[in-house]
Amino acid sequence: MRQKFVAGNWKMNLTYPGALALISEIADQLGAAKPTDPVVVVCPPFPFLSGVGEHLPKGGSVHLGAQNAHHKEGGAYTGEVEAKMLVSVGCEYVILGHSERRQHFREDDALLGQKLKTALAAGLKPIFCVGESLETREADETFDFIAKQLKDGLFHLSNEEFAQVVIAYEPVWAIGTGKTATSAQAQEVHAFIREQVARAYTAAAATDVSILYGGSANAQNARELFSQPDVDGGLIGGASLKAADFVAIVRSF
Ligand code: PEP
């Protein structure tokens, strides 16, 4: 069933004490979850996962996610982190295909396909990101570009595997820039993504998949973005680092 969803991507920010302070503030401000509340996920840097996991609010209102995972199942890959390790410290989600990984670490659709498989096999739910650059948008190629990212990166999954996935539409030009997509721009692409899912899988899969918007979403614009019929929540970067802003976004539905 489609779920409302807010995930915080802390990126390469904070120190361990800062991370614990942030999760403690989020826990205090959110309190106990009601059944109608969105699924809330926080994605701290790897070294903080275990400690942040221990400070999640009691009752399971906030879930733990990682920002990346390696595509192999263990072995001689110095400095890397495998999906099963993430599960062993309490992670339920993993962000894959973030534009910063695609751009700075040259992660392509073939590699992301392997990462998805390994993460799913370990029991993680992937938050799979797609999104066009400003150049692509200005060339009026957004829909073709998104369709290709979905086809090459995601649609090789089986129906059962796909049912575990959350999609995040993150226009690259909106990430960390303060230039949010308008709610109409977000809705247009989200509806398109849902249509592609219906074609690749089933109408039920398209109805059920949660599609998040990411790109300079904040406490001021979240309500308008989340009011769109195909926007099921947000993947939040900068605004997830302040407890009051993040909690306000969670309460924006
Ligand atoms: C992100 O990096 O996933 C993101 C949406 O960042 P920001 O909210 O800072 O634009």
Side-chain angles (χ1 to χ4, degrees):
M1 241 207 14
R2 194 190 310 184
Q3 287 175 302
K4 301 284 180 207
F5 212 100
V6 176
N9 175 8
W10 295 2
K11 307 197 187 187
M12 196 171 74
N13 291 300
L14 303 170
T15 57
Y16 188 52
L20 294 188
L22 178 56
I23 190 59
S24 301
E25 269 187 72
I26 291 172
D28 284 351
Q29 292 182 27
L30 267 184
K34 294 181 230 38
T36 48
D37 285 345
V39 176
V40 179
V41 182
V42 291
C43 302
F46 289 141
F48 309 157
L49 280 168
S50 188
V52 168
E54 283 166 20
H55 287 75
L56 295 179
K58 304 271 173 277
S61 59
V62 180
H63 304 259
L64 196 62
Q67 298 173 22
N68 183 29
H70 198 258
H71 60 286
K72 295 281 188 186
E73 291 182 9
Y77 298 98
T78 303
E80 291 297 330
V81 176
E82 109 174 269
K84 272 193 225 138
M85 295 174 182
L86 298 173
V87 173
S88 76
V89 294
C91 280
E92 295 175 66
Y93 293 87
V94 62
I95 299 171
L96 292 177
H98 193 282
S99 62
E100 288 155 13
R101 301 286 325 166
R102 293 179 189 261
Q103 187 187 339
H104 304 307
F105 302 96
R106 307 219 179 286
E107 294 192 359
D108 60 16
D109 290 321
L111 177 73
L112 291 171
Q114 292 178 52
K115 286 191 174 212
L116 277 166
K117 286 277 188 193
T118 314
L120 285 160
L124 290 171
K125 295 181 187 124
I127 302 171
F128 186 75
C129 306
V130 295
E132 80 288 359
S133 65
L134 186 59
E135 211 181 1
T136 301
R137 179 160 279 268
E138 286 178 348
D140 214 8
E141 289 168 359
T142 297
F143 293 116
D144 288 348
F145 185 84
I146 301 283
K148 186 165 164 38
Q149 280 188 324
L150 291 169
K151 181 169 169 286
D152 294 351
L154 190 59
F155 289 167
H156 54 89
L157 296 180
S158 68
N159 287 27
E160 292 71 29
E161 288 170 332
F162 181 78
Q164 301 302 310
V165 173
V166 173
I167 299 175
Y169 167 56
E170 299 209 306
V172 178
W173 48 271
I175 296 180
T177 59
K179 277 191 214 157
T180 321
T182 63
S183 55
Q185 283 172 323
Q187 167 57 25
E188 190 182 31
V189 179
H190 283 228
F192 175 78
I193 292 172
R194 214 176 286 288
E195 201 180 288
Q196 300 303 300
V197 172
R199 281 191 197 181
Y201 294 95
T202 60
T207 305
D208 287 351
V209 66
S210 295
I211 308 177
L212 317 183
Y213 168 79
S216 300
N218 57 40
Q220 286 71 47
N221 57 31
R223 190 172 293 277
E224 166 69 18
L225 286 160
F226 297 174
S227 70
Q228 299 303 305
D230 288 297
V231 178
D232 303 311
L235 177 55
I236 316 297
S240 71
L241 294 170
K242 287 207 180 105
D245 289 355
F246 186 63
V247 170
I249 294 169
V250 171
R251 298 205 168 120
S252 294
F253 291 95

